[in-house]
């Protein structure tokens, strides 16, 4: 079901599952705001949980702790192109009778144990915003194997209008359709997705080769069971080993003409979502504070990636040397 945006896809999915007032939906703390916003749109209450320190996606153990009699669904976000532990999520879903809405906005083509991200949940949602792996400028999509959900989402997407009786509205729906022009761009992009993913992974391999032995850096993780598509290649600065914050590193790289981006702020720290926080979130807070995304465009040349990595090492080595000198 093609939609006007990834956020619209998430809202459409939750609405099709009849999630609303009095329900709870579990979301990870470290993510873009779209999943929690979509939950709030429905009138349901988002329940924020921490992420796994090994690969930054939703922590399955924390999901289990957060379930109450009101819990209806889980939104695992495949963060920065790395898939979640879907076996763990789906086992909880089956045992507790919960829906799973996979957020695949950043994970086109990622794989979990050989299965595509987006193929295991009850509904999966994609974004085709301008900066995603493939793009329609702005757009999204819902996928499902459930024919009833499929038909319901198609009706809801088109103002709730009956497909058999024009201008007869069976439901209160939305104007969430993708335009024909966006769809045409998307089809052309889809022809190139394998090349885009391979280029993303090649960029990631180069960064890892250049940075993995650098003191003070934790490189972007990839679990043995995962195929990460590295929507953004992100590193963590080990503050115990270098006297340089990620913000200062970003500033120094900016002086060299290298644009970087901080990782997402934890949801629980931002004003609209603070009231939904229910516990401490040490992992997401630490990863967000220490994390920096490096240039990741498929237009990068290999010598660009090597240059960026060398500048990262140069700036870090300056501070490591300064720290040792002071000691």
């Amino acid at each position: 079901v093609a939609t006007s945006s990834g956020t619209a896809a998430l809202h459409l999915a939750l609405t099709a599952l009849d999630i609303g007032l009095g329900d709870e939906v579990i979301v990870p703390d470290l993510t873009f705001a779209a999943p929690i916003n979509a939950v709030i749109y429905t009138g349901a209450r988002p329940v924020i949980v921490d992420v796994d320190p090994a690969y930054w996606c939703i922590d399955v153990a924390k999901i289990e702790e957060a379930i109450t009699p009101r819990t209806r669904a889980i939104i695992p976000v495949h963060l920065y192109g790395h898939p979640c532990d879907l076996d763990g999520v789906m086992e909880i879903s089956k045992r507790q009778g919960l829906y799973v809405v996979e957020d695949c906005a950043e994970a086109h083509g990622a794989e979990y144990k050989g299965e595509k991200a987006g193929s295991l949940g009850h509904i999966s949602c994609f974004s085709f915003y301008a900066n995603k792996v493939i793009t329609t400028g702005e757009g999204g999509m819902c996928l499902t194997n459930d024919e009833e959900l499929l038909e319901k989402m198609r009706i809801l997407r088109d103002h709730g209008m009956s497909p058999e009786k024009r201008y007869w509205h069976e439901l209160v729906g939305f104007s969430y359709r993708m335009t024909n022009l966006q769809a045409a761009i998307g089809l052309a992009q889809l022809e190139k997705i394998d090349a885009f993913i391979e280029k993303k992974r090649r960029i990631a391999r180069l960064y890892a080769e250049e940075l993995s032995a650098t003191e003070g850096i934790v490189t972007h993780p990839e679990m043995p069971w995962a195929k990460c598509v590295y929507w953004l290649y992100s590193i963590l600065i080990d503050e115990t080993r270098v006297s340089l914050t990620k913000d200062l590193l970003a500033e120094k790289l900016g002086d060299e003409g290298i644009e970087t981006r901080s990782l997402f702020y934890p949801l629980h720290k931002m004003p609209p979502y603070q009231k939904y926080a229910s516990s401490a979130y040490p992992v997401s807070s630490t990863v967000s504070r220490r994390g920096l995304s490096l240039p990741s465009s498929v237009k990068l040349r290999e010598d660009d990636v090597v240059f960026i990595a060398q500048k990262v090492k140069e700036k870090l080595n300056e501070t490591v040397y300064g720290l040792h000198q002071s000691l």
Side-chain angles (χ1 to χ4, degrees), residues 95-166:
R95 178 161 40 82
Q96 299 284 356
L98 306 177
Y99 292 116
V100 173
V101 177
E102 289 183 65
D103 184 335
C104 306
E106 304 165 10
H108 308 168
E111 294 181 10
Y112 173 76
K113 296 184 178 180
E115 299 289 338
K116 295 292 186 187
S119 63
L120 297 174
H122 298 91
I123 301 176
S124 58
C125 300
F126 289 78
S127 168
F128 304 127
Y129 182 63
N131 63 5
K132 296 303 188 289
V133 176
I134 61 172
T135 180
T136 58
E138 179 64 279
M141 185 170 284
C142 294
L143 304 181
T144 184
N145 289 331
D146 187 311
E147 292 289 342
E148 289 186 13
L149 283 176
L150 177 71
E151 186 60 24
K152 188 174 182 180
M153 286 192 290
R154 284 177 172 163
I155 292 170
L156 284 167
R157 173 189 63 172
D158 189 17
H159 296 280
M161 187 165 58
S162 168
E164 286 83 30
K165 191 175 181 180
R166 195 174 178 83

Side-chain angles (χ1 to χ4, degrees), residues 60 64 67 87-98:
V60 172
E64 194 81 64
I67 293 171
D87 278 352
V89 173
M90 296 310 297
E91 191 279 326
I92 292 172
S93 159
K94 184 176 180 180
R95 178 161 40 82
Q96 299 284 356
L98 306 177

Side-chain angles (χ1 to χ4, degrees), residues 3 5-21 23-28 31-48 73-77 101-105 123-126 141-142 174 176 267 272-273 276:
T3 61
S5 72
T7 306
L10 286 163
H11 185 214
L12 187 66
L14 294 173
T15 304
L17 295 171
D18 295 321
I19 288 169
L21 192 64
D23 296 330
E24 292 179 351
V25 179
I26 295 172
V27 298
T31 176
F32 183 61
I36 195 170
N37 285 343
V39 173
I40 294 169
Y41 298 161
T42 68
R45 179 179 179 84
V47 176
I48 305 170
I74 308 163
I75 304 181
V77 179
V101 177
E102 289 183 65
D103 184 335
C104 306
I123 301 176
S124 58
C125 300
F126 289 78
M141 185 170 284
C142 294
F174 317 102
Y176 280 172
L267 294 177
Y273 317 122
Y276 302 114

Side-chain angles (χ1 to χ4, degrees), residues 263-323:
L263 269 61
F264 297 126
Y265 291 106
L267 294 177
H268 80 274
K269 291 189 174 182
M270 292 186 279
Y273 317 122
Q274 288 173 357
K275 63 184 177 182
Y276 302 114
S278 58
S279 64
Y281 301 90
V283 179
S284 59
S285 297
T286 299
V287 171
S288 176
R289 186 183 71 251
R290 294 169 52 195
L292 194 67
S293 293
L294 302 178
S296 305
S297 168
V298 294
K299 294 182 179 180
L300 288 172
R301 302 186 309 269
E302 291 193 1
D303 58 331
D304 293 328
V305 178
V306 172
F307 172 79
I308 293 163
Q310 287 175 342
K311 287 298 178 181
V312 170
K313 289 187 285 187
E314 178 185 306
K315 304 307 175 186
L316 284 172
N317 286 338
E318 288 173 3
T319 62
V320 170
Y321 178 75
L323 179 62

Side-chain angles (χ1 to χ4, degrees), residues 46-65:
V47 176
I48 305 170
V49 302
D50 209 350
V51 296
D52 192 298
Y55 58 102
W56 316 340
C57 294
I58 194 166
D59 188 327
V60 172
K62 299 298 183 184
I63 294 174
E64 194 81 64
E65 294 171 8

